[in-house]
Amino acid sequence: MYSPNFKITVSTVLLFIVCLTSKAQTGTVRNIPTDSLVQNVDDFPYFKGGIRAWSRFLQNNLDLTRTVGAMDSVAYVKYGSKQTAILNFIVCEDGDICNIEIENREKVSPEFAKAVLAAMRKSPQWMPALVKGKPVKTKFRQPVVAVLE
């Protein structure tokens, strides 16, 4: 699947909510008005099963074949062997995610950006943010890191 010269490590770190405007990237477009988002929540949204489950999901769904194939000397100079896509998306009350966008698209290779977005479109429902125990719609920011060696 991958060239033996490359060791691919995918790691993630959950970050806090960031309110930024984004456009829909998913197959099912949900028009989520930004004024309906809750900014201050009691409990942040998270991937069901936690960080380990999120890492497993990425390992099973993030196909870096094209990213590795496109990493020539020019791409290494421009993007480096470590690429971090910063995702912004909305987690709805029911846990669906939508309005997925890569915040730093100019700092990652186009192939890596496509792979990350494709994986995110396959994401199962998340646990939604809570305010006073009630699920609410909110923005979330999540980095996805790939190290190509």
Side-chain angles (χ1 to χ4, degrees):
M1 179 154 108
Y2 297 109
S3 168
N5 297 335
F6 291 99
K7 178 183 174 191
I8 298 175
T9 306
V10 178
S11 62
T12 61
V13 178
L14 291 174
L15 296 179
F16 293 100
I17 296 173
V18 173
C19 290
L20 296 172
T21 340
S22 66
K23 56 187 174 189
Q25 295 285 328
T26 58
T28 305
V29 177
R30 292 174 68 174
N31 186 11
I32 307 294
T34 55
D35 61 349
S36 70
L37 300 177
V38 177
Q39 294 180 20
N40 299 315
V41 299
D42 298 330
D43 295 310
F44 294 102
Y46 62 91
F47 190 82
K48 290 180 182 178
I51 293 172
R52 286 187 182 155
W54 172 247
S55 292
R56 269 192 313 273
F57 169 77
L58 285 178
Q59 288 171 354
N60 293 330
N61 293 282
L62 183 59
D63 182 4
L64 297 176
T65 306
R66 287 191 175 142
T67 304
V68 170
M71 288 304 289
D72 58 12
S73 59
V74 174
Y76 270 112
V77 170
K78 187 170 183 177
Y79 305 111
S81 61
K82 179 178 179 181
Q83 296 185 41
T84 303
I86 312 262
L87 295 171
N88 288 303
F89 53 91
I90 294 173
V91 179
C92 292
E93 300 98 325
D94 61 2
D96 282 347
I97 64 167
C98 59
N99 295 45
I100 305 164
E101 177 182 71
I102 296 178
E103 174 183 315
N104 62 333
R105 194 178 268 273
E106 70 286 348
K107 293 186 179 182
V108 298
S109 70
E111 294 80 11
F112 184 57
K114 287 176 192 173
V116 170
L117 289 173
M120 285 304 295
R121 289 184 194 113
K122 297 176 186 176
S123 176
Q125 289 183 324
W126 286 48
M127 295 302 294
L130 300 175
V131 172
K132 296 181 182 176
K134 182 181 175 186
V136 295
K137 217 179 304 181
T138 194
K139 274 275 200 180
F140 196 76
R141 186 174 191 239
Q142 175 70 56
V144 176
V145 179
V147 179
L148 309 170
E149 296 177 340

